[in-house]
Amino acid sequence: MSTTWKDIVKDWEKVPVEAYKFLFSQAKDRYDEFMSESESITNKAITLTTITVAAISGFVSYKFTASPNKGFVVLLTFLFLGDLFCLGKLLFPKRITQRGSPPNEIFIDYLDNNELEEDDKTKLVYYHELKRYQENMDMMEKRNSVRHWFYGIALCLTIIATVITAGIILSTIYHP
């Protein structure tokens, strides 16, 4: 059974404001790590795409100048298509959770409640924003793990396709 947010914070009003401030700064730092990781995956995918396009160009120019083995052509075609599919999953616009929160989502309906003291209102804002941070981090962690999986496949396919393409091209140079 997983821990719910209500299991973590049973009495939000008993948590001191200073603790909320510390928790908030830690949540922000952690969320920034998830966002940086997502950006890093995208940047690595751009590099792999460049390598893949160069390998495809080499393969296509080789195909027009030589008569390659049809088995290698079929193999490389599938490798390149699989690679481009994975890279497309990494590069095309992805749904990400933006940094920060818009005021209309942070502002809580009952902040204008006169029965709450100023300290409680501050705690309430921190509590709800920490909850949002946690939900966003959970979502980004799942998305990044899927993206890592696609990146790993794309990396392997890029290496294999590039090595095979280079091998075929070099074999025609040294063994015409």
Side-chain angles (χ1 to χ4, degrees):
M1 186 172 139
S2 66
T3 304
T4 66
W5 188 253
K6 288 183 180 187
D7 295 332
I8 296 170
V9 181
K10 291 181 177 43
D11 298 315
W12 63 267
E13 67 278 354
K14 292 181 182 177
V15 178
V17 172
E18 290 305 314
Y20 272 118
K21 288 179 182 178
F22 174 75
L23 291 168
F24 187 79
S25 71
Q26 293 301 302
K28 181 183 179 322
D29 290 346
R30 184 72 174 132
Y31 186 71
D32 285 345
E33 286 178 30
F34 284 114
M35 293 299 287
S36 293
E37 181 181 359
S38 181
E39 290 168 2
S40 174
I41 294 168
T42 301
N43 291 337
K44 290 176 189 176
I46 290 169
T47 302
L48 280 182
T49 302
T50 304
I51 294 168
T52 300
V53 168
I56 289 173
S57 299
F59 175 67
V60 168
S61 65
Y62 165 76
K63 176 147 176 36
F64 289 123
T65 60
S67 178
N69 178 321
K70 290 189 190 312
F72 281 122
V73 171
V74 171
L75 174 65
L76 283 173
T77 301
F78 281 114
L79 288 173
F80 283 133
L81 288 175
D83 194 11
L84 291 173
F85 172 78
C86 290
L87 291 169
K89 295 287 279 182
L90 294 172
L91 291 176
F92 283 104
K94 60 189 181 305
R95 188 171 166 259
I96 61 166
T97 306
Q98 302 297 317
R99 295 176 201 243
S101 299
N104 67 335
E105 292 180 19
I106 294 175
F107 196 81
I108 300 151
D109 290 338
Y110 39 90
L111 275 182
D112 56 356
N113 183 341
N114 292 331
E115 294 176 16
L116 291 175
E117 295 181 23
E118 290 302 312
D119 225 24
D120 287 340
K121 291 178 183 180
T122 303
K123 291 176 186 179
L124 198 58
V125 170
Y126 273 120
Y127 171 79
H128 283 283
E129 189 59 11
L130 284 169
K131 185 177 175 183
R132 284 174 42 86
Y133 259 126
Q134 185 61 54
E135 291 167 356
N136 289 343
M137 283 188 283
D138 291 344
M139 183 174 36
M140 285 301 293
E141 186 173 27
K142 288 176 189 171
R143 288 181 183 157
N144 283 347
S145 68
V146 169
R147 293 186 78 223
H148 274 294
W149 190 76
F150 276 108
Y151 175 76
I153 292 171
L155 178 63
C156 291
L157 292 175
T158 297
I159 291 170
I160 292 168
T162 304
V163 167
I164 291 173
T165 300
I168 292 171
I169 293 170
L170 288 175
S171 72
T172 60
I173 294 171
Y174 292 111
H175 304 287

Coordinates of all heavy atoms in Angstrom, one line a residue, residues 42-72:
T42 N 16.6 15.4 -23.7 CA 16.3 16.0 -25.0 C 17.6 16.4 -25.7 O 17.7 16.1 -26.9 CB 15.4 17.2 -24.8 OG1 14.2 16.8 -24.2 CG2 15.1 17.9 -26.1
N43 N 18.5 17.0 -25.0 CA 19.8 17.4 -25.6 C 20.6 16.2 -26.1 O 21.2 16.2 -27.2 CB 20.6 18.2 -24.6 CG 20.0 19.5 -24.3 OD1 19.3 20.1 -25.1 ND2 20.4 20.1 -23.2
K44 N 20.6 15.1 -25.4 CA 21.3 13.9 -25.8 C 20.6 13.3 -27.1 O 21.2 12.8 -28.0 CB 21.3 12.8 -24.7 CG 22.2 13.2 -23.5 CD 22.0 12.1 -22.5 CE 22.7 12.5 -21.2 NZ 22.5 11.5 -20.1
A45 N 19.3 13.4 -27.1 CA 18.5 12.9 -28.3 C 18.8 13.7 -29.5 O 18.9 13.2 -30.6 CB 17.0 12.9 -28.0
I46 N 19.0 15.0 -29.3 CA 19.4 15.8 -30.5 C 20.8 15.4 -31.0 O 20.9 15.3 -32.2 CB 19.4 17.3 -30.1 CG1 18.0 17.8 -29.8 CG2 20.1 18.2 -31.1 CD1 17.9 19.2 -29.2
T47 N 21.7 15.1 -30.1 CA 23.0 14.6 -30.6 C 22.9 13.3 -31.3 O 23.5 13.1 -32.4 CB 24.0 14.4 -29.4 OG1 24.1 15.7 -28.7 CG2 25.3 13.9 -29.8
L48 N 22.1 12.4 -30.8 CA 21.9 11.1 -31.4 C 21.2 11.2 -32.8 O 21.5 10.5 -33.7 CB 21.0 10.1 -30.6 CG 21.7 9.4 -29.4 CD1 20.7 8.5 -28.7 CD2 22.9 8.6 -29.9
T49 N 20.3 12.2 -32.9 CA 19.6 12.4 -34.1 C 20.6 12.9 -35.2 O 20.6 12.5 -36.4 CB 18.5 13.5 -34.0 OG1 17.6 13.0 -33.0 CG2 17.8 13.8 -35.3
T50 N 21.5 13.8 -34.8 CA 22.6 14.2 -35.7 C 23.4 13.1 -36.2 O 23.7 13.0 -37.4 CB 23.5 15.3 -35.0 OG1 22.7 16.3 -34.5 CG2 24.5 15.8 -35.9
I51 N 23.8 12.2 -35.3 CA 24.6 11.0 -35.7 C 23.8 10.1 -36.6 O 24.3 9.6 -37.6 CB 25.1 10.3 -34.4 CG1 26.1 11.1 -33.6 CG2 25.7 8.9 -34.8 CD1 26.4 10.6 -32.2
T52 N 22.6 9.9 -36.3 CA 21.7 9.0 -37.1 C 21.5 9.6 -38.5 O 21.6 8.8 -39.5 CB 20.4 8.8 -36.4 OG1 20.6 8.2 -35.1 CG2 19.4 7.9 -37.2
V53 N 21.3 10.9 -38.6 CA 21.1 11.5 -39.9 C 22.4 11.4 -40.7 O 22.4 11.1 -41.9 CB 20.7 13.0 -39.8 CG1 20.8 13.7 -41.1 CG2 19.2 13.0 -39.2
A54 N 23.5 11.5 -40.1 CA 24.8 11.4 -40.8 C 25.0 9.9 -41.2 O 25.4 9.7 -42.4 CB 26.0 11.8 -39.9
A55 N 24.6 9.0 -40.4 CA 24.8 7.6 -40.8 C 23.8 7.2 -41.9 O 24.2 6.5 -42.9 CB 24.5 6.7 -39.6
I56 N 22.6 7.8 -41.9 CA 21.6 7.5 -42.9 C 22.1 8.1 -44.2 O 22.1 7.5 -45.3 CB 20.2 8.1 -42.6 CG1 19.6 7.3 -41.5 CG2 19.3 8.1 -43.8 CD1 18.3 7.8 -40.9
S57 N 22.7 9.3 -44.2 CA 23.3 10.0 -45.4 C 24.4 9.2 -45.9 O 24.5 9.0 -47.2 CB 23.8 11.4 -45.0 OG 22.7 12.2 -44.5
G58 N 25.2 8.6 -45.1 CA 26.3 7.8 -45.6 C 25.8 6.5 -46.2 O 26.3 6.1 -47.3
F59 N 24.8 5.9 -45.6 CA 24.2 4.7 -46.1 C 23.6 5.0 -47.5 O 23.7 4.2 -48.4 CB 23.2 4.2 -45.1 CG 22.4 3.0 -45.6 CD1 23.1 1.8 -45.9 CD2 21.1 3.1 -45.9 CE1 22.4 0.7 -46.3 CE2 20.4 2.0 -46.4 CZ 21.0 0.8 -46.6
V60 N 22.8 6.1 -47.6 CA 22.1 6.4 -48.8 C 23.1 6.7 -49.9 O 23.0 6.2 -51.1 CB 21.1 7.6 -48.6 CG1 20.6 8.1 -50.0 CG2 20.0 7.1 -47.8
S61 N 24.1 7.5 -49.6 CA 25.1 7.8 -50.7 C 25.9 6.5 -51.1 O 26.2 6.3 -52.3 CB 26.1 8.9 -50.2 OG 26.9 8.4 -49.1
Y62 N 26.1 5.6 -50.1 CA 26.8 4.4 -50.5 C 25.9 3.5 -51.3 O 26.3 2.9 -52.3 CB 27.1 3.6 -49.2 CG 27.4 2.2 -49.4 CD1 28.7 1.8 -49.9 CD2 26.5 1.2 -49.2 CE1 29.0 0.5 -50.2 CE2 26.8 -0.2 -49.4 CZ 28.0 -0.5 -49.9 OH 28.3 -1.8 -50.2
K63 N 24.6 3.5 -51.0 CA 23.6 2.6 -51.8 C 23.6 3.1 -53.2 O 23.5 2.2 -54.1 CB 22.2 2.8 -51.1 CG 21.2 2.0 -51.9 CD 20.1 1.5 -51.1 CE 19.0 0.8 -51.8 NZ 19.3 0.1 -53.0
F64 N 23.7 4.3 -53.5 CA 23.6 4.8 -54.9 C 25.0 4.6 -55.6 O 25.0 4.6 -56.9 CB 23.2 6.3 -55.0 CG 21.8 6.5 -54.6 CD1 21.5 7.3 -53.6 CD2 20.8 5.8 -55.3 CE1 20.1 7.5 -53.2 CE2 19.5 6.0 -54.9 CZ 19.1 6.9 -53.9
T65 N 26.1 4.4 -54.9 CA 27.3 4.2 -55.6 C 27.8 2.7 -55.6 O 28.7 2.4 -56.4 CB 28.5 5.0 -54.9 OG1 28.6 4.6 -53.6 CG2 28.2 6.5 -55.0
A66 N 27.2 1.9 -54.9 CA 27.6 0.5 -54.8 C 26.3 -0.4 -54.8 O 25.2 0.1 -54.6 CB 28.4 0.2 -53.6
S67 N 26.6 -1.7 -54.9 CA 25.5 -2.6 -54.9 C 25.6 -3.4 -53.6 O 26.3 -4.4 -53.5 CB 25.5 -3.6 -56.1 OG 24.5 -4.5 -56.0
P68 N 24.9 -2.9 -52.5 CA 25.1 -3.6 -51.2 C 24.3 -4.9 -51.1 O 23.4 -5.1 -51.9 CB 24.5 -2.5 -50.2 CG 23.5 -1.8 -51.0 CD 24.0 -1.8 -52.4
N69 N 24.7 -5.6 -50.1 CA 24.0 -6.9 -49.8 C 22.6 -6.5 -49.4 O 22.4 -5.7 -48.5 CB 24.8 -7.6 -48.7 CG 24.2 -8.9 -48.3 OD1 23.0 -9.0 -48.2 ND2 25.0 -9.8 -48.0
K70 N 21.6 -7.2 -50.0 CA 20.2 -6.8 -49.6 C 19.9 -7.1 -48.2 O 19.1 -6.4 -47.6 CB 19.3 -7.6 -50.5 CG 19.3 -7.1 -52.0 CD 18.2 -7.7 -52.8 CE 18.3 -7.5 -54.2 NZ 18.5 -6.2 -54.8
G71 N 20.5 -8.1 -47.6 CA 20.3 -8.4 -46.1 C 20.7 -7.2 -45.3 O 20.0 -6.8 -44.3
F72 N 21.9 -6.6 -45.6 CA 22.3 -5.4 -44.8 C 21.4 -4.3 -45.1 O 21.1 -3.5 -44.1 CB 23.8 -5.1 -45.2 CG 24.8 -5.9 -44.6 CD1 25.7 -6.6 -45.3 CD2 24.9 -6.0 -43.2 CE1 26.7 -7.4 -44.7 CE2 25.8 -6.8 -42.6 CZ 26.7 -7.5 -43.3

